[in-house]
Amino acid sequence: MTTATPVRQKSDLTVFWTVTFVTTWAFWLLAIALGGSPTTSPTAIPYLLGGFGPVFGAIVVRVRRGRRREPVPAHTVRLRSSARLLWVLPLLVLASATVVGAALLADLVGGPAVSLTEGQKLIATIGGPVPFLISMVIGGPLAEEPGWRGTAYPRLLATMSHLRAGLLLGVVWAVWHLPLFFIGGTVQSELGLFSWSGLLFTLSVLPMALLTGYAYERAGVVAAIAVHFGVNATVAVLTVKSPVAQAFVLAVQVVVVVVLHQAASRRR
């Protein structure tokens, strides 16, 4: 079977961007209009559905490709060997370690002390460790990675380098998050769009896109989900919200992705 041409992949990307942004922003704008908390009815429904915009986009692209009997993109990672899954746990640990290490560095330079107190309260509020873990997997990693990394990323690689594809996807990903700053009760709204914390959150999406892209290349969507989950869950447990801590997370992740991508470049 031949691989899909760059022209077809650009067409797929146009469909994916359109479906993803239209569905996500339509649902999140509805959540904004409804007001209230994203964890209570009725706001919770459009808030949750909006997060699945990238999955909706991925489904439309796959159905469209299947009907046209078009082949998968050349850079799609398919787990033909279970040995690839051995990457998942180390990448999950690495993702969490970038946040833990950054939080400790921030503490050393006079930033907020590393504490699990607020994280424990959050876990208790959600209903315990199991509901917390489930919510952290679904709310972000599972709702997004089949789209961002599983669908858009391999198609971008048809016409650009891994670095450019990762950075472009990071910019798109950051813009996609913008409505969350206007939904009361979200992490983004607490940070504030026009604040140092809001700016650092937006910038942090770029190294996250490169880190999850690297994970995808190693072990597909499963690894991308693991990395996304590892960062999100660790940030939530350690309550990384201060600009100092966020700046260190950004810096540490930039260093990590530079090292990883240089190593990957040597192997290609």
Side-chain angles (χ1 to χ4, degrees), residues 61-224:
V61 168
R62 280 167 172 72
V63 170
R64 181 172 178 263
R65 179 174 59 78
R67 287 179 175 175
R68 296 185 177 187
R69 298 180 181 277
E70 294 175 354
V72 298
H75 297 279
T76 297
V77 176
R78 289 173 285 180
L79 297 179
R80 291 172 176 156
S81 171
S82 58
R84 277 184 176 269
L85 292 175
L86 295 176
W87 279 94
V88 174
L89 183 58
L91 287 168
L92 170 62
V93 173
L94 175 63
S96 295
T98 62
V99 179
V100 174
L104 292 172
L105 288 172
D107 188 359
L108 286 175
V109 300
V114 176
S115 173
L116 298 176
T117 303
E118 293 300 318
Q120 290 172 338
K121 290 180 181 178
L122 173 63
I123 293 172
T125 301
I126 294 176
V130 173
F132 170 76
L133 293 175
I134 292 174
S135 67
M136 294 304 299
V137 170
I138 295 175
L142 191 61
E144 299 177 31
E145 291 307 326
W148 299 131
R149 254 54 64 176
T151 303
Y153 187 61
R155 288 168 172 81
L156 288 171
L157 291 176
T159 57
M160 59 185 69
S161 68
H162 290 77
L163 178 60
R164 286 183 61 196
L167 289 175
L168 175 58
L169 190 51
V171 171
V172 174
W173 197 14
V175 173
W176 178 82
H177 279 92
L178 289 180
L180 292 177
F181 285 95
F182 303 96
I183 301 177
T186 63
V187 172
Q188 290 80 7
S189 69
E190 292 177 5
L191 295 176
L193 178 59
F194 302 105
S195 68
W196 283 112
S197 292
L199 174 62
L200 288 166
F201 169 84
T202 301
L203 291 175
S204 71
V205 178
L206 298 179
M208 268 291 291
L210 293 171
L211 188 56
T212 48
Y214 176 87
Y216 175 78
E217 292 173 26
R218 303 281 75 76
V221 173
V222 176

Side-chain angles (χ1 to χ4, degrees), residues 21 25 32 84 91 106 123 163 166 207 220 227 231 243:
F21 274 85
W25 283 19
I32 293 171
R84 277 184 176 269
L91 287 168
I123 293 172
L163 178 60
V227 166
V231 171

Side-chain angles (χ1 to χ4, degrees), residues 26-53:
F27 280 123
W28 283 351
L29 287 174
L30 177 57
I32 293 171
L34 290 171
S37 169
T39 60
T40 59
S41 181
T43 307
I45 296 174
Y47 169 73
L48 179 62
L49 290 174
F52 279 85

